[in-house]
Every structure is written in C-alpha cells, then in structure tokens.
Amino acid sequence: NAPLLSPEKELSPEREERMLSDLKNLLSGYPIQYYIGTEIFCSEEFFVAENVLIPRPETELLVEIAINKAEKNSTVFDFCCGSGCIGLSLLKKREDLFAYLYDLSDSALSLTEKNREKLDLSKRAVVKKLDILSPVAKEEILRCPPSLILSNPPYLTGEEMEKIDENVKKVFDLQEANITRVLKDISSTITLNS
C-alpha cells in the first residue's frame, strides 16, 4: 500500500524485491484473492486462503437451489465446506435454518470458523472435523437428520484436471481433487463396511 499511496517514499531493497516477486506471481496467474485474502460470494465477503479453493460464481446456483429446497426451521449439512461459503451463505439467506459445516482440513475449518464469526452466525452454525467416508459420518447423520445435505467438493475428472486454470494448479493439490482416486476410496470404504 505505502508505495502506491506515497510514491515519494523510497522502498527498501527487501520491500522492492517482495513487490516485484508478488507482481510476477500475479502476472503469471496466481489468484489475487489470495493476496487480498477475501472473495465475494452470494453478496457476502468471505475470507479465503491457499488451503481452500476460491468460491466460483456458478457455485452460487447451489445456494439458490438450497434456499428453495431446505425445509422450514430445519438443519442442513455442508460436507467438504472449505471456506464455508455455501453453508454460511444459505444461513444468511434463510434465517430459519441451522447448519453443520464439515471438513477434513484443520486449516479449512479454521477459515470457516473465521467466516462464521465475521458473518455473525455462531449461534446457527457448528463447524466440525469429519471424514464423510467414515462410519462416524453415518452416525452424525442419524443423530441429527438434516433436511438437506450440501456438498461441492473440489473433485475433478482427469479431463477437467487437464483443463484447470493455471492459477489453481499453482496453489491447490490436484491429487487430492482427483475424482478417480476419490471414487476408488469410496468404493473400498463401501466394500469394507458392507
């Protein structure tokens, strides 16, 4: 900020090197949202970081559908919540709902908690670590049956992985998002639990 606001001030060599490095990263496709630390989704500002994907505008359609599908005064689950943008946006649009937001990543859960606080949804949203393929997930669903389960996990087909934006490839572990690998995990989990 300072160099742009006070161009008469000289930059230290370290600061100049950092600015040039940041500019180079941005020009090569690194998402500006990670520098800013936020992204707008469903008219709300959400914190984002490299440990979660930046919410895409088309994902707002999932929220719009959920607004109409969730039963009145019910509980919804958001699996693989990432930054929490889907479940928390739904709560902002539907004040009668309560949500559980689940993820495996501690850093994603921390970001979701930060967004929950920012949006003043602490009384209506619980953030929990959960492996959705574990027997514990089934117990969680049976304990508190939701009217709706939301999930937009970052899973991609091999073809989609080849076409993914370069800026996403730079910061996100695509092996974790490989749908073929995930389906194999699900298949083996189902076989083991049958």
Side-chain angles (χ1 to χ4, degrees), residues 74-77 91 94 96-100 122-126:
S74 67
T75 298
V76 297
F77 286 2
L91 293 183
R94 288 276 308 268
D96 62 309
L97 299 177
F98 186 87
Y100 286 89
S122 297
K123 293 181 180 173
R124 296 179 39 228
V126 172

Side-chain angles (χ1 to χ4, degrees), residues 117-184:
E117 300 303 316
K118 178 181 184 179
L119 297 171
D120 195 27
L121 292 169
S122 297
K123 293 181 180 173
R124 296 179 39 228
V126 172
V127 178
K128 291 177 80 173
K129 185 171 186 166
L130 181 71
D131 177 354
I132 64 171
L133 301 178
S134 72
V136 176
K138 182 178 177 181
E139 292 169 19
E140 189 82 4
I141 291 170
L142 293 174
R143 183 186 60 74
C144 179
S147 73
L148 193 62
I149 296 176
L150 302 166
S151 187
N152 188 27
Y155 302 139
L156 306 168
T157 64
E159 186 178 314
E160 288 171 326
M161 288 177 70
E162 290 175 19
K163 295 178 182 174
I164 193 104
D165 288 345
E166 287 299 317
N167 59 350
V168 174
K169 288 180 185 177
K170 290 177 184 176
V171 296
F172 196 74
D173 182 359
L174 291 180
Q175 279 309 107
E176 290 297 312
N178 185 331
I179 190 67
T180 305
R181 184 194 58 78
V182 171
L183 290 174
K184 284 179 185 174

